Amino acid sequence: DAGVIQSPRHEVTEMGQEVTLRCKPISGHNSLFWYRQTMMRGLELLIYFNNNVPIDDSGMPEDRFSAKMPNASFSTLKIQPSEPRDSAVYFCASSPGPSRVGEAFFGQGTRLTVV
Amino acid sequence: GDSVTQMEGPVTLSEEAFLTINCTYTATGYPSLFWYVQYPGEGLQLLLKATKADDKGSNKGFEATYRKETTSFHLEKGSVQVSDSAVYFCALWNGDKIIFGKGTRLHILP
């Protein structure tokens, strides 16, 4: 089991550019979460999907952020245009479903720096 | 809304000391409770869990007991090691989503 795979591991971009973060969840998991982690705000839930359907996106900071899950094995988080305050570590996590609710398996994260 | 509050860090201990990290929660209904650990440069990993009142979760020498009467889920370990240095997150599942505390950084000195 390869675990949750995120790419890229590090991203440095200029303000105003589009950024796309990618996630491959663990096969068979039916929930997927995107989190953002900063020193100031800690771990914030941005959006989560159940069976590829977005359930709660109330944590998405503003319209510049969007997330998609076109199939069970892939999700993207896009920021357009990016701003320096978006600099953070972004984590994707997947969860196996009703029998193990609350158990989330995290990827290693993407460290985003917007200059 | 539902929330998790845990003690602020950093917590610094000597090797073989006893560890307690406090965690309390606010939730309607009966949440499941979790402790996650984050090592430097990595994502969070599930450490232990408890799904109902009076359950005790345990793993790698760590323990936590679900106390409904005090709405608490304190993390304990009898003898910490340098390798336990990490950030520890208390969390709950309220039937809708996972809610994390802000994390407690633990430093263990050799």
Side-chain angles (χ1 to χ4, degrees), chain B residues 7-28:
Chain B
M7 60 191 292
E8 291 196 20
V11 174
T12 302
L13 296 171
S14 297
E15 204 165 23
E16 299 184 2
F18 183 86
L19 168 70
T20 300
I21 300 178
N22 290 337
C23 170
T24 56
Y25 67 90
T26 301
T28 55

Side-chain angles (χ1 to χ4, degrees), chain A residues 5-89:
Chain A
I5 299 173
Q6 291 186 246
S7 63
R9 289 294 310 278
H10 301 273
E11 176 81 34
V12 180
T13 191
E14 292 186 347
M15 182 174 65
Q17 296 298 305
E18 176 181 303
V19 175
T20 299
L21 311 182
R22 297 172 175 80
C23 175
K24 178 179 169 55
I26 294 173
S27 177
H29 285 193
N30 61 7
S31 295
L32 184 139
F33 308 85
W34 282 101
Y35 289 90
R36 177 171 69 176
Q37 187 177 39
T38 61
M39 290 292 292
M40 292 295 293
R41 302 169 75 112
L43 196 63
E44 303 173 276
L45 176 65
L46 301 177
I47 185 171
Y48 76 94
F49 297 83
N50 270 351
N51 297 317
N52 314 340
V53 176
I55 302 300
D56 184 350
D57 65 354
S58 59
M60 297 284 261
E62 46 199 274
D63 292 346
R64 297 185 297 107
F65 286 69
S66 63
K68 294 182 179 179
M69 192 166 186
N71 57 60
S73 59
F74 185 65
S75 178
T76 59
L77 178 69
K78 184 179 293 186
I79 308 172
Q80 181 185 20
S82 57
E83 296 182 3
R85 60 193 167 119
D86 302 330
S87 297
V89 180

Side-chain angles (χ1 to χ4, degrees), chain B residues 47-68:
Chain B
L47 180 60
L48 54 84
K49 70 174 186 179
T51 58
K52 61 184 187 298
D54 300 324
D55 269 1
K56 177 185 284 188
S58 61
N59 186 26
K60 300 181 181 179
F62 291 90
E63 294 182 339
T65 301
Y66 190 144
R67 301 287 188 200
K68 182 167 173 286

